[in-house]
Amino acid sequence: MRTKPEMMGQLRPAFSELNISEGFEFDTEMVTNEIKEDCKPLLLSNEQLTTLMNDMDGAIRNGLSKDKNPSSIVKCYVTYVQDLPNGTERGKFLALDLGGTNFRVLLIELGENNYFHMDSEIFKVPAHIQTGKGTELFDHIAKCLAEFIKKHNLDNKKALPLGFTFSFPLRQVGLTKGYLNSWTKGFNCSGVVDEDVVRLLKDAIKRRKDVQIDVCGILNDTTGTIMSCAWKNPNTKIGLIVGMLSK
């Protein structure tokens, strides 16, 4: 099989003549037979697609089954977020999104006439923290959260409401209580598996003694997606995350 640079060298002449601003149709005649042959494994037949569909359907059904869930590769963990926003929500809210080597802190403001404003900042989780102690991870998150609050001059005389998006396998037992099932995406912090991650976050915030946070709910990124989209479009019914790879 040809290497990627060699294949791109074959494709480059075809792309060089394209005017992207005007739209284009790709000239398949400019793609060599060798490239077409190399790409054949990426083309699925109807039979293969049907097999894939049935496998996914079976995995999801197993994940939803009380008896088969423990052995299912698709866990289908329950969420305790039971209602979608209806557009009447008002105020300022914090959001914390942890799901990889970077995490985001967001300040969301919702107002009349579909007014929406968001400020956000991305913070990095250093490699040594990703595989260190769990207390170090949550202390780092609390530190970044405090920096964000001070930077945006938020009134912290009373606890600020925060939604915690935690995009790792989580067994939830309540709206603000969830136990980490296993680490993924290169994380392997000790002392977190089988622990309530909301409590770990609250404990880290308490250790700082400089910010007050009220964690209103914990959810995964898929639930967060449907919640955020439903505020503007009440017809939203499905949240979908595509593109994350696990190590």
Side-chain angles (χ1 to χ4, degrees):
M1 181 175 288
R2 298 174 69 88
T3 64
K4 185 179 291 185
E6 290 174 324
M7 294 176 68
M8 289 306 298
Q10 294 284 342
L11 290 171
R12 193 171 291 112
F15 282 107
S16 64
E17 299 178 6
L18 300 176
N19 187 336
I20 304 299
S21 63
E22 297 179 359
F24 63 89
E25 292 184 2
F26 189 77
D27 186 0
T28 56
E29 296 299 324
M30 300 185 71
V31 179
T32 66
N33 290 331
E34 191 171 3
I35 292 177
K36 293 178 182 178
E37 188 67 27
D38 287 342
C39 290
K40 276 186 177 180
L42 303 177
L43 302 177
L44 302 181
S45 65
N46 287 341
E47 182 179 358
Q48 289 172 313
L49 288 172
T50 300
T51 299
L52 179 62
M53 178 187 71
N54 290 335
D55 287 346
M56 289 182 63
D57 181 72
I60 292 172
R61 290 179 183 275
N62 288 341
L64 293 171
S65 167
K66 181 178 180 180
D67 297 329
K68 297 181 179 180
N69 176 273
S71 61
S72 174
I73 59 173
V74 180
K75 293 301 183 183
C76 296
Y77 287 126
V78 67
T79 177
Y80 281 78
V81 177
Q82 299 183 8
D83 296 305
L84 296 178
N86 56 25
T88 63
E89 293 77 14
R90 301 289 182 267
K92 292 184 178 181
F93 308 89
L94 288 170
L96 173 62
D97 182 4
L98 175 65
T101 55
N102 296 323
F103 72 93
R104 293 191 302 163
V105 179
L106 305 93
L107 173 63
I108 310 294
E109 183 176 1
L110 306 176
E112 300 289 341
N113 301 317
N114 286 332
Y115 175 78
F116 172 88
H117 180 76
M118 179 180 73
D119 291 312
S120 66
E121 188 169 350
I122 296 175
F123 297 91
K124 187 173 182 61
V125 182
H128 71 277
I129 290 182
Q130 294 177 39
T131 56
K133 296 180 180 179
T135 51
E136 294 176 347
L137 171 64
F138 285 95
D139 282 344
H140 176 66
I141 293 172
K143 172 179 175 290
C144 296
L145 184 59
E147 290 176 357
F148 182 88
I149 290 173
K150 293 174 183 177
K151 180 178 179 180
H152 290 272
N153 298 314
L154 296 177
D155 182 5
N156 202 201
K157 293 179 181 178
K158 61 180 181 179
L160 297 168
L162 178 140
F164 186 12
T165 300
F166 187 79
S167 303
F168 296 93
L170 193 71
R171 304 188 309 275
Q172 284 193 246
V173 296
L175 184 60
T176 58
K177 195 169 188 177
Y179 296 88
L180 176 65
N181 184 66
S182 62
W183 283 117
T184 56
K185 307 173 188 176
F187 278 70
N188 192 25
C189 300
S190 62
V192 184
V193 173
D194 293 327
E195 296 292 337
D196 176 13
V197 295
V198 174
R199 179 185 61 80
L200 294 177
L201 176 61
K202 288 181 175 179
D203 288 348
I205 292 171
K206 286 181 181 178
R207 285 194 291 271
R208 293 191 57 83
K209 300 179 180 179
D210 59 349
V211 290
Q212 299 184 70
I213 298 295
D214 177 22
V215 181
C216 299
I218 186 168
L219 59 160
N220 65 16
D221 48 0
T222 307
T223 306
T225 297
I226 191 172
M227 292 290 288
S228 61
C229 293
W231 187 81
K232 280 195 171 184
N233 186 348
N235 293 321
T236 302
K237 302 300 180 185
I238 295 176
L240 177 66
I241 300 294
V242 179
M244 292 298 291
L245 298 177
S246 299
K247 293 184 179 180

